[in-house]
């Protein structure tokens, strides 16, 4: 099951594609002019967000961790289990007002995702292990 949420402000359009496996959640936070995958953030109800930023160009790493960590902190209280947030957002020739819009856009998407997760909880599938 997947669900897509969208938000736009100051000429920037972001999407959050949410997929579930059991109680775990995979979120793709993508948008701008060049959607891609540049960072991965993980979080659970009992752990703090951890982020890996991949190389973007020589001597630089992707900066979307600012966005994914904000989303992770906002979603953490309502998660049933693990969440993985993969993100890549690039706005060509970004303007200051577009940069300022990123926080509110992520907050809006996080709110929508949180409402959806709360309205669609998953029953935990019991795992069995060999002895």
């Amino acid at each position: 099951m997947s669900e897509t949420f969208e938000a736009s402000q100051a000429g920037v359009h972001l999407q959050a594609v949410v997929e579930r496996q059991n109680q775990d959640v995979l979120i793709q936070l993508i948008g701008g002019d060049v959607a891609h995958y540049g960072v991965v953030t993980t979080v659970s109800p009992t752990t703090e967000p951890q982020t890996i930023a991949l190389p973007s160009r020589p001597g630089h790493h992707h900066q979307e961790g600012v966005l994914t960590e904000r989303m992770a902190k906002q979603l953490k209280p309502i998660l049933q289990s693990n969440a993985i947030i993969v993100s890549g957002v690039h706005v060509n020739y970004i303007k200051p007002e577009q940069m300022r819009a990123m926080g509110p856009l992520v907050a809006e998407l996080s709110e929508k995702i949180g409402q959806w997760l709360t309205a669609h909880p998953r029953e935990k599938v019991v795992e069995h292990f060999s002895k």
Side-chain angles (χ1 to χ4, degrees):
M1 170 194 295
S2 70
E3 203 60 40
T4 300
F5 302 94
E6 300 185 26
S8 297
Q9 185 177 328
V12 177
H13 183 76
L14 298 184
Q15 281 189 332
V17 180
V18 182
E19 295 184 23
R20 296 188 83 161
Q21 299 297 331
N22 197 2
Q23 292 182 327
D24 295 333
V25 180
L26 170 65
I27 301 168
Q28 297 177 62
L29 176 61
I30 51 177
D33 298 313
V34 184
H36 60 281
Y37 300 119
V39 301
V40 178
T41 297
T42 61
V43 67
S44 78
T46 60
T47 62
E48 293 304 313
Q50 297 179 13
T51 299
I52 297 171
L54 301 169
S56 59
R57 60 184 196 266
H60 297 272
H61 285 79
H62 288 277
Q63 301 295 309
E64 292 90 342
V66 172
L67 306 177
T68 57
E69 288 186 13
R70 180 181 186 135
M71 179 174 278
K73 288 175 185 170
Q74 193 169 338
L75 293 175
K76 179 181 172 165
I78 57 94
L79 292 174
Q80 289 184 280
S81 189
N82 302 316
I84 301 164
I85 306 168
V86 181
S87 181
V89 176
H90 179 87
V91 176
N92 290 327
Y93 308 109
I94 193 165
K95 298 176 179 96
E97 62 271 14
Q98 293 173 313
M99 188 73 85
R100 287 189 298 273
M102 292 295 178
L105 285 170
V106 170
E108 179 182 341
L109 288 171
S110 299
E111 179 68 25
K112 290 176 180 181
I113 294 167
Q115 290 172 355
W116 184 78
L117 290 173
T118 300
H120 300 90
R122 285 286 178 96
E123 193 77 29
K124 183 167 179 61
V125 176
V126 178
E127 298 170 302
H128 300 279
F129 299 94
S130 297
K131 294 184 182 190

